[in-house]
């Protein structure tokens, strides 16, 4: 029997709003702030929508928790408190000392659902990671894409299983000791199915790379900001998520004295206290501004961490030799550039960026900011998927150099992050794929993709069609590979390195000021000092004898044949890495 339910929606733009519930239309009353309310009978899973002015086609709820018929269809009621959680023993965990595993639900398994991903969580536990970071799962138009075209920020994509499956996934992760970080996008909305502008002024003047700028500081922006901040609370409170990765925060245009990101940090800190578990906010920022991750008490924004593309670019160029586009400065710097990042977090710290044609960034005070506040990685979804053919680094590197790269990532002073399949050197690409139902939008997306590659100096002639379903299918992981060579060997390397991190606290030490690096560009070797341990990497195709600063003690790990220790020197095979203690 339907019970009386109060429906409310903030819609200051239309002159009239009516509520449709299970086919019945009801008038709504407006208050002075632009909120419309109506109390009508509804079932726990009633379908509903809003009729704006004289439009007879109902629009989905801007705060819809579920869109069973897609983003153009009616919303369906969903009560997150109905789920019986089994993670009462989960007390969360801080990001510091952890390892993150980035996952796209649609391509992680053949089925591409949250429930199917649960069946593979044992692999992640055996691997030794601590957090699963999901690419955006909010509802978008179509059946598959990367997730950054979402338009219903409060709803979980139905093709992934919807919100109930999401709760099951988070619960399963927690019961296995894995934290969950959710990637969220607040800097733009997708191109299809966005009805928010019919309800309220969600956009400001101007645009960024991906679409119209969100109204964070213009007229009526108080409720727009509240719309975002409540969404942050939803993931962390209702879905038991442990942290959020905030997409491209440099595209958030906010002219207020207190930036939206600082407000997020304040509210998240309060919620963390209320829930009794750590909650983490991680920025993707192109600013190279350490204030982003500086605590508020020290005058910073107060976010916990940020991705480090500079570390990626430095390591990528030294392993591959690539020097096109934004890689140019990093390639020119050689191993000195890698050393600069390992000891200072940023490569561009106020110096000239040839790609941007201007000076960029500011230095990190390494005495104040620990390295764990920067996520370090050899691969991520952008750095693979934004290549012309979406080829992973495993398509161009030898197994030896892949193991060297893994060693430098997993022994760095940063918070390491792996992209799904990287741990076994997956041969499957991860390409840019879309499923826009509108042919004209699909065509424009493909043409824009080609133009972008041409502008960055990449070969655009080989770009796969994002709308071709095979582009999506090709990007799914092949789970038969981890048991085959050379994949099995690389997987064993990752497992051993992740276990080594937990066995030797010096490899977890985030103090950038005590991290030392020596290198030889001609001989192509680098040594990273991690307390009493030395991480020695030979990037060359020849055996190398490397002098250390102290007598070599015990070999704790090696990627290839056992190295030779001789006093204060270690001799490594070609394309190999070793971790040794010093006496």
């Amino acid at each position: 029997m339907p019970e009386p339910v109060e429906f409310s929606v903030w819609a200051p733009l239309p002159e009239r709003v009516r509520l449709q519930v299970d086919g019945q239309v009801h008038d709504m009353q407006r208050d002075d702030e632009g909120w419309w309310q109506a109390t009508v009978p509804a079932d726990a899973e009633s379908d509903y929508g809003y009729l704006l002015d004289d439009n007879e086609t109902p629009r989905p709820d801007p705060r819809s928790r579920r869109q069973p018929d897609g983003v153009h269809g009616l919303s369906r009621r969903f009560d997150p408190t109905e789920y019986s959680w089994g993670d009462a023993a989960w007390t969360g965990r801080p990001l510091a000392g952890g390892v993150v595993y980035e996952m796209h639900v649609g391509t992680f398994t053949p089925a591409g659902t949250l429930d199917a991903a649960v069946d593979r969580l044992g692999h992640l536990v055996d691997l030794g990671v601590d957090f699963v970071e999901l690419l955006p799962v909010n509802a978008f138009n179509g059946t598959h894409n990367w997730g950054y075209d979402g338009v219903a920020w409060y709803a979980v994509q139905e093709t992934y299983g919807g919100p109930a499956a999401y709760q099951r996934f988070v619960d399963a992760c927690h019961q296995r000791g894995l934290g969950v970080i959710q990637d969220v996008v607040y800097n733009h909305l997708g191109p299809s199915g966005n009805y928010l502008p019919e309800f309220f002024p969600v956009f400001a003047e101007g645009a960024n790379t991906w679409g119209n700028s969100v109204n964070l500081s213009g007229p009526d922006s108080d409720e727009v900001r509240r719309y975002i901040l409540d969404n942050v609370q939803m993931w962390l409170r209702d879905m038991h998520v442990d942290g959020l990765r905030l997409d491209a925060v440099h595209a958030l245009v906010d002219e207020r004295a207190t930036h939206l990101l600082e407000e997020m940090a304040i509210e998240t800190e309060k919620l963390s206290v209320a829930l009794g578990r750590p909650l983490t906010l991680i920025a993707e920022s192109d600013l190279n501004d350490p204030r982003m991750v500086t605590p508020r008490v020290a005058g910073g924004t107060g976010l916990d961490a940020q991705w480090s593309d500079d570390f990626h670019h430095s390591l990528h160029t030294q392993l591959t030799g690539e020097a096109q586009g934004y890689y140019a400065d990093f390639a020119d710097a050689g191993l000195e550039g890698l050393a600069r990042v390992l000891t200072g977090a940023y490569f561009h710290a106020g110096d000239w960026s040839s790609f941007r044609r201007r000076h960029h960034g500011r230095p990190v005070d390494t005495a104040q900011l620990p390295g764990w506040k920067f996520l370090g990685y050899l691969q991520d979804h952008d750095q693979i998927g934004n290549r012309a053919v979406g080829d992973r680094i495993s398509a161009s590197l030898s197994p030896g150099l892949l193991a060297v790269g893994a060693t430098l990532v997993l022994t760095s002073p940063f918070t390491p992050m792996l992209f799904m399949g990287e741990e076994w050197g997956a041969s499957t690409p991860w390409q840019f794929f879309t499923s826009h139902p509108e042919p004209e939008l699909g065509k424009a997306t493909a043409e824009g993709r080609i133009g972008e590659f041409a502008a960055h100096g990449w070969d655009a002639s080989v770009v796969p069609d994002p709308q071709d379903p095979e582009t999506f299918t090709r990007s799914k992981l092949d789970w038969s590979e981890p048991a085959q060579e050379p994949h099995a060997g690389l997987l064993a390397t990752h497992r051993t390195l992740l276990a080594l991190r937990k066995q030797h606290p010096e490899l977890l030490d985030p103090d950038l000021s005590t991290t030392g690096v020596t290198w030889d560009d001609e001989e192509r070797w680098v040594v990273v000092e991690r307390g009493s341990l030395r991480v020695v990497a030979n990037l060359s195709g020849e055996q190398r004898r490397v002098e250390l600063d102290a007598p070599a003690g015990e070999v704790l790990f090696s990627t290839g044949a056992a190295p030779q220790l001789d006093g204060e020197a270690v001799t490594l095979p070609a394309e190999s890495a070793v971790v040794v203690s010093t006496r």
Side-chain angles (χ1 to χ4, degrees), residues 7-9 11-12 14-17 28-30 34-38:
F7 290 82
S8 64
V9 62
E15 295 295 324
R16 179 171 68 143
V17 177
M28 303 189 77
Q29 300 299 315
R30 173 180 170 147
W35 282 90
W36 298 79
Q37 290 93 14

Side-chain angles (χ1 to χ4, degrees), residues 71-317:
V71 297
H72 296 293
L74 292 170
S75 301
R76 179 167 295 171
R77 295 188 66 218
F78 175 81
D79 184 354
T81 65
E82 288 296 308
Y83 181 73
S84 297
W85 290 90
D87 64 350
W90 175 253
T91 57
R93 66 152 299 150
L95 182 66
V99 178
V100 179
Y101 187 93
E102 191 186 19
M103 176 195 300
H104 176 263
V105 174
T107 51
F108 184 60
T109 65
T113 65
L114 288 155
D115 286 330
V118 169
D119 295 336
R120 293 290 181 181
L121 291 180
H123 168 81
L124 303 187
V125 173
D126 292 341
L127 179 61
V129 299
D130 303 289
F131 293 91
V132 178
E133 180 180 309
L134 294 178
L135 268 66
V137 299
N138 47 292
F140 54 82
N141 195 24
T143 57
H144 57 268
N145 68 25
W146 280 16
Y148 296 90
D149 283 335
V151 291
W153 288 352
Y154 284 73
V156 175
Q157 176 70 7
E158 281 294 311
T159 52
Y160 293 163
Y166 190 90
Q167 290 179 310
R168 291 193 296 271
F169 176 84
V170 175
D171 200 5
C173 285
H174 287 172
Q175 292 184 46
R176 290 163 175 81
L178 297 169
V180 178
I181 299 168
Q182 181 58 60
D183 194 342
V184 290
V185 183
Y186 298 131
N187 56 66
H188 76 286
L189 286 123
S192 179
N194 174 24
Y195 296 107
L196 297 186
E198 298 181 18
F199 288 85
F200 56 83
V202 66
F203 291 131
E205 292 184 7
N208 55 49
T209 305
W210 305 280
N212 294 330
S213 295
V214 176
N215 177 20
L216 300 180
S217 49
D220 294 316
S221 59
D222 282 0
E223 283 294 344
V224 176
R225 293 166 76 96
R226 192 69 256 161
Y227 180 73
I228 295 172
L229 293 168
D230 286 351
N231 186 256
V232 169
Q233 298 268 322
M234 181 203 79
W235 292 111
L236 300 174
R237 182 190 61 241
D238 299 346
M239 297 304 193
H240 287 208
V241 165
D242 301 283
L244 299 179
R245 181 263 189 186
L246 308 169
D247 181 65
V249 298
H250 50 271
L252 295 171
V253 179
D254 188 353
E255 298 175 347
R256 298 200 192 194
T258 302
H259 195 282
L260 175 70
L261 294 175
E262 187 176 351
E263 275 199 79
M264 281 187 199
I266 293 170
E267 293 200 2
T268 299
E269 183 178 318
K270 291 180 180 179
L271 184 61
S272 175
V273 172
L275 296 178
R277 58 184 173 89
L279 300 175
T280 301
L281 296 178
I282 304 171
E284 181 199 21
S285 173
D286 187 45
L287 300 177
N288 277 25
D289 185 351
R291 289 174 295 189
M292 186 71 66
V293 294
T294 297
R296 289 184 299 110
V297 70
T301 302
L303 300 187
D304 299 288
Q306 72 159 87
W307 280 23
S308 177
D309 274 354
D310 280 14
F311 177 68
H312 169 272
H313 298 346
S314 297
L315 184 55
H316 181 93
T317 56

Side-chain angles (χ1 to χ4, degrees), residues 308-317 330 338 341-342 345-347 375-378 405 408-410 412-414 416:
S308 177
D309 274 354
D310 280 14
F311 177 68
H312 169 272
H313 298 346
S314 297
L315 184 55
H316 181 93
T317 56
F330 300 89
L338 180 59
V341 176
L342 282 167
Y346 295 148
F347 178 89
L375 271 66
Y377 38 88
L378 178 57
L408 290 172
V409 170
L410 296 177
S412 76
F414 306 125

